[in-house]
């Protein structure tokens, strides 16, 4: 009944460098497949991925959302109260964090996020080659997110290394995992310190987490853990969302022409990037009991790998899925997950994407590749290490 794939390794360098041929193989093998190499189930189709995310009682998060089963193995860091939790504990934690990331909070951030994007893009629209990762995709979230949360300026670059490590640790203990955690002591120490109330700017989102968490009855240590979720999930995800957006637009000049002609497409274009090149490629769930997923029986206590990125290109869900099309309706993709664990910061991510793409449309006539980008390999994230581009200036 279940297709067994003995050799597929979704965490090998070859797979991570170009996952799309393997995604197709996985999708076409069945709604749910068995990856013998790791003894796990997996799904690369949109409908079953969405269905598993929609059923947190049968597909839980408290056993970890990476390949490691927290019921059998010691987690590498204390589990997240948000990501690696189930109701009812998850519900309380989510309420605290969601309150800080409300629509009203996003409206208050819009002006600063828009101005920062405009200033940065205008400065980079000089027509000479530059590294759009180092000078744009990395710089922008690190600045606007850290300012909003209230993280001190000194040492912010630790956040990049920290997130990269967190996302590598959702995979198996391969070279990426081991290299990420090796020598990371000082970075972990720095992040843990910044999560404490006394190190966060009063009035910032980190301080607001502490205030709301205290009101919900969380201890100061648990409140700090909720800030840790912010710092884990808030920077590298948007860094690679923006990097992937720039690379998509550089490779598809016809699509950039559409965006340039109508900057109102910025929000939809960013959404299409998340469908087409999802920064977060995968998450796991663990079955709490025997359960059928899209007609395939899975036993209890099993790890299930959900290919969010592959679901974004499932031809059962999307027409011409391998076409990057900024005019399509890409909402409904599962790049932000789905259900009770859907990205709690997605409004902020979308605000960042919209701000940067709008600024490009305003200041840049053409986005041109200026050399081959270097890919970053990560057990969970899909993104670039370097991205040589030219932003050819043009009037608004
Ligand atoms: C957390 C966390 C860490 C990484 C990712 C994430 C995408 C959450 O610590 O809660 O969500």
């Amino acid at each position: 009944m279940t297709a067994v794939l003995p050799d597929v390794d979704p965490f090998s360098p070859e797979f991570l460098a170009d996952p799309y041929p393997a995604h197709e193989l996985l999708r076409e093998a069945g709604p749910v497949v068995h990856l013998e190499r790791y003894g796990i189930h997996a799904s690369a189709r949109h409908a079953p991925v969405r269905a598993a995310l929609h059923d947190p009682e049968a597909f839980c998060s408290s056993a970890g959302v990476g390949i490691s089963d927290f019921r059998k193995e010691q987690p590498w860091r204390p589990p997240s109260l948000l990501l690696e939790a189930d109701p009812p504990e998850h519900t309380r934690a989510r309420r605290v964090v969601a309150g800080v990331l409300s629509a009203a909070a996003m409206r208050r951030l819009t002006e600063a996020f828009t101005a920062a994007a405009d200033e940065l893009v205008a400065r980079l629209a000089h027509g000479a080659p530059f590294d759009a990762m180092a000078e744009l995709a990395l710089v922008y979230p690190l600045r606007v997110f850290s300012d909003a949360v209230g993280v001190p300026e000194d040492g912010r670059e630790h956040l990049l290394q920290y997130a990269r490590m967190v996302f590598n640790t959702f995979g198996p203990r391969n070279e990426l995992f081991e290299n990420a955690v090796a020598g990371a002591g000082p970075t972990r120490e720095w992040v843990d310190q910044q999560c404490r109330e006394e190190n966060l700017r009063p009035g910032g989102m980190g301080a607001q987490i502490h205030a709301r968490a205290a009101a919900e009855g969380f201890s100061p240590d648990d409140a700090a853990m909720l800030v840790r979720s912010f710092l884990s999930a808030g920077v590298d995800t948007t860094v690679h969302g923006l990097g992937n957006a720039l690379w998509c637009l550089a490779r598809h000049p016809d699509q950039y022409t559409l965006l340039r002609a109508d900057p109102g497409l910025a929000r939809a274009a960013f959404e299409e990037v998340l469908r087409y090149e999802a920064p977060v490629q995968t998450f796991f769930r663990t079955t709490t009991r025997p359960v059928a997923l899209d007609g395939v029986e899975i036993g209890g206590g099993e790890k299930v790998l959900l290919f969010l990125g592959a679901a974004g290109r499932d031809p059962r869900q999307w027409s011409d899925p391998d076409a990057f099309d900024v005019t399509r309706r890409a909402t409904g993709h599962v790049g932000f997950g789905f259900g009770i664990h859907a990205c709690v910061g997605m409004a902020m991510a979308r605000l960042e994407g919209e701000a940067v793409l709008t600024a490009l449309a305003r200041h840049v006539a053409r986005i041109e590749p200026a050399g081959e980008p270097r890919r970053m390999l990560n057990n969970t994230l899909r993104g670039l290490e370097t991205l040589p581009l030219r932003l050819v200036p043009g009037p608004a």
Side-chain angles (χ1 to χ4, degrees), residues 5-330:
L5 303 175
D7 297 322
V8 175
D9 181 358
F11 305 100
S12 69
E14 300 73 31
F15 189 108
L16 295 170
D18 179 17
Y20 299 116
H23 284 170
E24 184 177 3
L25 192 141
L26 289 162
R27 271 193 311 261
E28 298 315 312
V32 178
V33 299
H34 192 254
L35 304 184
E36 225 174 13
R37 184 188 174 101
Y38 292 114
I40 59 175
H41 287 80
S43 181
R45 291 190 189 172
H46 182 88
V49 165
R50 191 169 181 279
L53 295 171
H54 192 53
D55 188 358
E57 184 268 320
F59 296 89
C60 80
S61 291
S62 58
V65 297
I67 197 168
S68 169
D69 186 340
F70 292 179
R71 299 163 185 194
K72 300 175 184 162
E73 286 180 287
Q74 165 97 347
W76 72 282
R77 64 171 190 168
S80 164
L81 302 179
L82 196 61
L83 180 76
E84 293 153 337
D86 294 323
E89 293 83 5
H90 166 264
T91 316
R92 281 179 68 225
R94 174 93 183 188
R95 187 156 51 228
V96 169
V97 177
V100 174
L101 289 160
S102 67
M106 294 307 106
R107 282 193 293 276
R108 287 192 292 273
L109 292 176
T110 302
E111 203 181 309
F113 277 36
T114 304
D118 213 63
E119 186 270 330
L120 179 59
V121 169
R123 193 149 45 77
L124 293 169
H126 46 55
F130 74 104
D131 179 2
M133 290 310 295
E135 294 193 52
L136 210 177
L138 282 159
V139 173
Y140 179 73
L142 202 55
R143 179 178 310 152
V144 298
F145 177 86
S146 306
D147 283 351
V149 175
V151 176
E153 294 205 12
D154 231 41
R156 282 181 181 181
E157 43 325 312
H158 281 297
L159 293 175
L160 298 168
Q161 199 203 333
Y162 187 76
R164 207 174 268 210
M165 166 171 63
V166 169
F167 283 100
N168 268 319
T169 61
F170 295 129
R173 287 192 176 261
N174 57 14
E175 207 173 312
L176 288 167
F177 184 122
E178 298 298 347
N179 288 343
V181 295
T187 286
R188 293 185 63 182
E189 181 55 35
W190 184 89
V191 168
D192 287 343
Q193 282 305 316
Q194 307 321 307
C195 292
R196 299 160 60 91
E197 188 168 22
E198 65 266 31
N199 294 323
L200 292 159
R201 177 176 59 76
M205 296 179 118
Q208 291 172 41
I209 293 279
H210 276 277
R212 285 180 180 266
E216 275 277 347
F218 284 93
S219 68
D221 283 353
D222 282 353
M225 285 286 286
L226 295 177
V227 178
R228 195 194 72 174
S229 285
F230 252 76
L231 301 187
S232 300
V235 179
D236 236 24
T237 47
T238 44
V239 163
H240 295 295
L242 293 171
N244 292 353
L246 287 158
W247 182 226
C248 285
L249 293 168
R251 269 181 311 168
H252 299 97
D254 57 322
Q255 297 301 305
Y256 185 66
T257 302
L258 294 171
L259 172 63
R260 166 109 168 120
D262 179 7
L265 283 173
R267 222 172 162 79
F270 190 62
E271 220 58 37
E272 172 67 348
V273 171
L274 302 182
R275 180 196 71 81
Y276 185 80
E277 291 274 19
V280 177
Q281 284 280 306
T282 47
F283 267 127
F284 287 79
R285 292 293 187 261
T286 310
T287 56
T288 57
R289 55 175 170 83
V291 59
L293 183 58
D294 210 334
V296 179
E297 293 294 334
I298 305 174
E302 300 272 349
K303 279 281 169 181
V304 184
L305 171 52
L306 305 175
F307 284 95
L308 310 178
R313 293 188 183 219
D314 184 350
R316 294 158 193 79
Q317 177 70 18
W318 312 96
S319 62
D320 205 1
D322 294 321
F324 176 67
D325 175 2
V326 301
T327 65
R328 84 159 80 220
R329 282 186 54 92

